[in-house]
Amino acid sequence: MTPGLQGHLAMLLFSALVAGSFSLGSMAANEIAPGALNAIRFGIAAVVIWAFVMASGGVPKGSWAAPWRYCVLGAIFGMYFVLMFEGLKTAPPVSAAAVFTLTPVLTAGFGWLLLRQILTPRMALALLIGGLGALWVIFRADFGAALAFEIGRGEMVYFVGCVCHATYTPLVRKLNRGESARVFSLGVLIAGCVIITIFSWSDIRATDWLGLPRIVWITIIYVSIFASASTFVLTQFAAMRLPSAKVMAYTYLVPSWVILWEAGLGNGLPLPWVAIGIFLTVVALLMLLRDA
């Protein structure tokens, strides 16, 4: 299996896991402060990754060189997650996923600025097709809904977070000095946990941890293990094997996964015509896979 194919498979799993955080996050967002939730989320994820690192031989000598790298990345990704949950207080899961699909284009821009990565015509076409497919899914094949779309406060807040996410992907490749995905992720998670804890200490102290609803703890466990620890490693792994724009192109699958999550949680299935959008996103991904 080529490194490029490995990166694509990692991001396919990434998109499915991330989608769950939208559906679960919207159910818990108004029950706990975003900073408090993400402080414990980063802490749990760091412990999980640390266990994997220790089981696979520990941290190689020199991995903690230039710790400012981990602080920069931890602050950026921590801001993304805090703003995501702040946005989900008012933005519906599918609407938030719509905003998330803007990250591939943003990432392509930051990839050029930081790494001078150039979009090939095939990649540009794939991003366009994937974007159209994602929009078709987001609005559930309803042109009226698309025309009536209005940007709410939650979507605007989350957009700022998506800018952070788009910056993070090329920075991983630029700041990595040969560390493995797990070790590099551990450094980012530890730094992110410390930074979020410092800035959210008042919210952490004010939270009634023992009185939180069950859905909050379900969300915390899910986003800590599956949407943090796992996706951190998957993103780092893919970013070292694929151009930044290709890594973030998999966000086009997230709205489709969100709809499946919503259906699984009992919120119903979309109209059959939505399958057209899903088909277009798959076509876009196959184009990227061929261009790997």
Side-chain angles (χ1 to χ4, degrees), residues 44-163:
I44 293 174
V47 171
V48 172
I49 295 298
W50 175 83
F52 277 108
V53 170
M54 293 298 105
S56 59
V59 179
K61 184 178 180 180
S63 295
W64 301 127
W68 62 268
R69 298 176 297 151
Y70 300 112
C71 292
V72 169
L73 292 171
I76 291 174
F77 224 31
M79 187 179 298
Y80 163 73
F81 282 117
V82 170
L83 292 176
M84 174 186 177
F85 278 87
E86 182 65 32
L88 283 172
K89 287 183 176 180
T90 56
V94 177
S95 181
V99 179
F100 194 48
T101 58
L102 297 175
T103 53
V105 175
L106 294 171
T107 301
F110 285 116
W112 180 83
L113 287 173
L114 297 172
L115 302 173
R116 289 299 184 263
Q117 293 177 340
I118 305 298
L119 279 178
T120 66
R122 183 190 297 275
M123 288 172 61
L125 179 60
L127 291 176
L128 175 61
I129 293 175
L132 292 174
L135 289 174
W136 186 264
V137 173
I138 290 161
F139 295 112
R140 303 195 176 212
D142 186 341
F143 286 107
L147 293 174
F149 180 72
E150 296 180 358
I151 302 295
R153 177 185 178 278
E155 287 83 354
M156 291 298 295
V157 168
Y158 184 46
F159 174 76
V160 177
C162 288
V163 173

Side-chain angles (χ1 to χ4, degrees), residues 37-48 189 192-193 224:
L37 185 151
N38 282 286
I40 189 171
R41 173 242 198 111
F42 269 59
I44 293 174
V47 171
V48 172
L189 285 167
C193 179
S224 298

Side-chain angles (χ1 to χ4, degrees), residues 255-267:
S256 300
W257 284 117
V258 169
I259 288 176
L260 292 177
W261 270 90
E262 290 292 288
L265 292 172
N267 296 327

